[in-house]
Amino acid sequence: MTEKPATSDFPSSSLNSRIVTTRPVAARIWNYWLGGRDYYEVDRKAGDEISRMHPSIHDYARADRQFLGRAVRHLAADVGIRQFLDIGAGLPTADNTHEVAQRVAPDARVVYVDNDPLVLVHARALLTSAPEGRTDHVDEDVRHVDSVLEHTARTLDLSRPVALLLLDVMAFVRDDEDPYGIVRRLMDALPAGSHLVLSHTITGPGWADVDAAAAWWNAHGTPRLNQRTPEAVARFFDGLDLLEPGVVSCTRWRPERTGDDSGEPQEVAMYCGVAAKHGRRSA
């Protein structure tokens, strides 16, 4: 099926000048762990060092990606969502948001938002829409809510339900930057019937290797990672109606059973949830 080019309003030359190659960058390491090819040697070395301290990190990356696919398929197929706002989208890999959504609904519209220049360079080249739908890309930071919404409104109809995707992006927003307020403002701008899809790196008893890997990252990489407890992650959904099974490990959000696989999936230190907005949010 022929695809039409994605739209964009940022010059590649300015993006190229912003690409950091002297320090590892989270989006590129995530791409390395997922088996992609869009990273530098500094990212590979950092990814290997984190894997040495926390060997299960590859499972976390895959679990987060698989959760994205399951959540988007559910919202497109079962809920009827046709608009998706993916903030902190990361580098393109397999089964990107628009690919999953448009397999179900070719007319789905998707806006990707990221402020990593390499992500945007690749997004413009690779993330193209099915002819019936549309895909757009915005060079912006999740902290700049008004700008994100202004650019999003060029492609999405914000008077109709939207699925807001925040896949491990709020972990890079510090407590003093009001992460909960950012999510609330984004959801407040969307109508009833919209959904929040969020995942977040966690901390807590039994995750010492995760904490050690996060500390190493914060000493060597960018941007800074802010772990939160499962209870703190659940706060992002305040005022919304959580879908079953609530806020859980990404591996345990509606896993797809195959064959005789009836056991509980192994827990990972990446928690997630999906919630619906019905009417006015509570205080």
Side-chain angles (χ1 to χ4, degrees):
M1 180 167 55
T2 303
E3 295 183 337
K4 65 183 180 182
T7 61
S8 63
D9 55 5
F10 43 83
S12 60
S13 58
S14 65
L15 292 174
N16 288 332
S17 67
R18 287 164 45 194
I19 295 175
V20 176
T21 60
T22 56
R23 296 189 71 186
V25 174
R28 301 194 308 241
I29 292 182
W30 208 250
N31 182 262
Y32 170 58
W33 285 331
L34 286 171
R37 297 181 296 177
D38 301 312
Y39 55 86
Y40 294 97
E41 182 67 9
V42 66
D43 305 306
R44 184 192 65 77
K45 290 181 177 179
D48 288 345
E49 178 61 20
I50 294 172
S51 297
R52 183 190 65 78
M53 291 185 288
H54 183 46
S56 297
I57 190 64
H58 296 267
D59 296 333
Y60 292 18
R62 287 190 292 268
D64 190 53
R65 196 69 180 184
Q66 291 164 1
F67 161 67
L68 166 67
R70 296 195 302 274
V72 170
R73 279 194 297 275
H74 169 70
L75 293 177
D78 301 328
V79 180
I81 299 289
R82 294 294 180 265
Q83 302 189 111
F84 297 82
L85 174 56
D86 189 343
I87 303 180
L91 282 156
T93 58
D95 284 339
N96 300 290
T97 298
H98 76 285
E99 294 171 324
V100 177
Q102 290 178 353
R103 284 193 201 111
V104 176
D107 61 337
R109 293 189 167 208
V110 179
V111 172
Y112 292 101
V113 180
D114 210 296
N115 66 342
D116 184 295
L118 189 63
V119 168
L120 293 162
V121 168
H122 284 74
R124 183 172 58 183
L126 299 175
L127 300 181
T128 54
S129 176
E132 302 92 331
R134 188 174 178 188
T135 303
D136 203 355
H137 317 95
V138 175
D139 179 8
E140 192 51 276
D141 190 299
V142 68
R143 299 167 182 82
H144 304 153
V145 173
D146 292 340
S147 180
V148 167
L149 293 170
E150 177 185 354
H151 285 84
T152 297
R154 300 177 185 177
T155 302
L156 305 185
D157 179 355
L158 300 187
S159 69
R160 299 174 64 85
V162 175
L164 171 63
L165 278 63
L166 297 169
L167 276 294
D168 207 35
V169 65
M170 299 313 294
F172 297 105
V173 179
R174 302 189 310 268
D175 287 340
D176 62 2
E177 294 174 310
D178 192 18
Y180 300 105
I182 289 171
V183 174
R184 174 174 290 275
R185 288 176 61 201
L186 286 166
M187 288 303 298
D188 282 349
L190 304 179
S194 295
H195 284 65
L196 172 63
V197 180
L198 182 144
S199 66
H200 199 297
T201 306
I202 65 162
T203 186
W207 299 109
D209 53 344
V210 178
D211 295 344
W216 186 93
W217 170 257
N218 287 336
H220 298 89
T222 186
R224 179 179 177 81
L225 179 67
N226 302 273
Q227 297 168 275
R228 295 186 171 96
T229 65
E231 293 77 17
V233 174
R235 280 186 57 199
F236 285 107
F237 298 96
D238 284 355
L240 302 173
D241 296 327
L242 270 168
L243 278 60
E244 292 294 336
V247 177
V248 295
S249 167
C250 283
T251 53
R252 297 179 178 178
W253 195 89
R254 303 190 180 190
E256 296 169 345
R257 307 291 187 182
T258 58
D260 296 329
D261 181 18
S262 59
E264 188 75 5
Q266 181 178 0
E267 188 175 42
V268 297
M270 180 76 70
Y271 269 46
C272 67
V274 179
K277 176 180 179 180
H278 296 308
R280 183 177 297 276
R281 298 186 74 191
S282 61

